[in-house]
Amino acid sequence: MNEKNNFDIVRFSLAFIVMLVHSAEVTRNVDIRFLDHFLNSDFAVKGFFAISGFLIAKSYLRSKSLTSYFIKRAQRILPAYIFVIILCFVIGMCLTTLPLMDFLKNKETIKYLVANFSFLNFIQASLPGVFTNNPNQPMDGSLWTIKAELTLYVLLPLIVPMMKKNPLKVWAAIFVISCAWFFYFTSVYTGPKADTLAKQFVALSSYFFFGSLLAVHQPTFDRLKEITIISLVVFLLFKSTDYAFIVEPVAFSSVVILFCTNLCKEIKISQYGDLSYGMYLYHWPIIQVLQHFGVFDTNAFLGLGLTIVITLALAYTSWNLLESRFLKRAHHAQPSITPPTTTARD
């Protein structure tokens, strides 16, 4: 089996898609609205979860202890996450329409810091007097996925041992629960925050743990091409129906993992660092600041170009000066794609 892979370039591409779509959605600028018609940020986010499930399962399997596993997860997630919360807070202090002391003493400011440092971003996503004239007010609307990711990290040590014993049955149970959750909050429950509840970790678990299934169960991984082709055909047949969500976890996850592992020649970008996480975290506040100063209104394509350049520069700086310093060099060797015994990127 080919040890080379394209995890880095695929994750980079998915983060880039999210950045482009959010540039259109956050600014609501008609000149770049075509981006969210031709690109799908939902697919990108779900692809991230599938890749994460694959790589984190492999990381868990080779961890010396449960403590080691959780330390590695904290080292990867927390530094950049904490930094972006602080960055948004500083942006808020600089751009708020309130007097600085009023801003600092405001209950919403305190609530924002407590909620976001606790990964409960939905409780307080905005800061008082900040981006009030922008079409959207959240400081960083991308952060909602982090709590789902962390929850799945916690569940993985419980699920993977069971999955190694009964891989298909365990994933089938997760799949049924996940689909039932999504169906309930999109078709049955119509109360407050139904859309938000539908997207939580339960719905995303089928993508994450399908990636884990491919990492721990060799027979399933060996049939990845066939699974991808069949699931994509079925998905396309049902795409315009209310039943597409049933096929999505397998179709989206399998096509992304296939591209990562054995579909095409390896494209190496590791020399620039692991930029995808930083790109995902930082692009939203950059879009908001540029919108605040009227850049997108003056020229939407200039705003888009600056968003790309500044996001890449910040992600590169973050990786080299912050994120990589919390990780041992060995943790960032290229991930093997041979499940489940060889090494994977943490």
Side-chain angles (χ1 to χ4, degrees), residues 67-336:
T67 300
S68 171
Y69 164 76
F70 282 117
I71 288 175
K72 286 187 289 185
R73 302 281 53 78
Q75 286 175 322
R76 184 65 190 100
I77 293 294
L78 293 183
Y81 180 85
I82 292 171
F83 175 74
V84 78
I85 300 302
I86 296 172
L87 175 65
C88 288
F89 177 70
V90 172
I91 290 172
M93 287 195 299
C94 295
L95 299 184
T96 183
T97 57
L98 301 178
L100 181 58
M101 290 308 299
D102 290 347
F103 171 82
L104 294 175
K105 293 178 181 179
N106 194 288
K107 291 182 179 179
E108 289 186 7
T109 301
I110 298 171
K111 189 176 179 182
Y112 172 85
L113 292 172
V114 173
N116 282 269
F117 280 128
S118 304
F119 305 101
L120 302 175
N121 323 89
F122 63 94
I123 293 177
Q124 184 66 44
S126 59
L127 284 167
V130 184
F131 302 142
T132 53
N133 293 322
N134 285 10
N136 290 278
Q137 285 73 53
M139 298 301 298
D140 195 340
S142 298
L143 299 184
W144 71 271
T145 62
I146 305 301
K147 66 180 180 299
E149 186 90 4
L150 291 175
T151 303
L152 292 169
Y153 288 172
V154 172
L155 291 176
L156 186 138
L158 302 174
I159 300 297
V160 166
M162 293 190 293
M163 190 173 277
K164 289 181 71 178
K165 295 179 181 179
N166 298 288
L168 299 180
K169 289 182 179 179
V170 171
W171 185 80
I174 294 170
F175 171 77
V176 170
I177 294 170
S178 175
C179 289
W181 174 281
F182 184 83
F183 176 79
Y184 178 77
F185 285 107
T186 55
S187 302
V188 179
Y189 175 78
T190 57
K193 298 185 177 181
D195 183 61
T196 299
L197 291 168
K199 296 178 180 179
Q200 297 310 304
F201 80 93
V202 181
L204 294 167
S205 63
S206 54
Y207 300 85
F208 184 89
F209 286 113
F210 188 79
S212 299
L213 174 66
L214 292 172
V216 304
H217 191 230
Q218 184 73 47
T220 303
F221 186 84
D222 288 342
R223 302 189 67 180
L224 180 57
K225 289 183 180 180
E226 293 92 327
I227 292 170
T228 302
I229 293 170
I230 294 171
S231 62
L232 280 179
V233 169
V234 175
F235 173 74
L236 292 173
L237 290 174
F238 289 90
K239 183 179 180 181
S240 301
T241 72
D242 294 333
Y243 306 103
F245 75 95
I246 299 174
V247 191
E248 260 191 24
V250 177
F252 285 11
S253 301
S254 60
V255 71
V256 168
I257 300 297
L258 184 65
F259 268 97
C260 289
T261 53
N262 57 15
L263 189 63
C264 59
K265 183 179 179 181
E266 182 181 23
I267 303 173
K268 292 185 68 67
I269 60 169
S270 57
Q271 64 270 28
Y272 302 109
D274 188 357
L275 306 186
S276 58
Y277 183 50
M279 288 172 61
Y280 183 81
L281 291 182
Y282 302 135
H283 73 274
W284 185 295
I286 291 169
I287 294 169
Q288 288 284 58
V289 170
L290 292 174
Q291 176 68 24
H292 172 83
F293 286 109
V295 177
F296 279 92
D297 292 332
T298 301
N299 188 313
F301 293 97
L302 174 62
L304 183 62
L306 287 174
T307 296
I308 294 170
V309 171
I310 297 171
T311 299
L312 288 175
L314 186 54
Y316 179 83
T317 303
S318 174
W319 171 256
N320 285 282
L321 297 185
L322 177 64
E323 298 166 61
S324 63
R325 297 193 177 192
F326 283 84
L327 298 165
K328 294 180 180 179
R329 187 174 181 181
H331 288 170
H332 292 274
Q334 282 288 340
S336 167

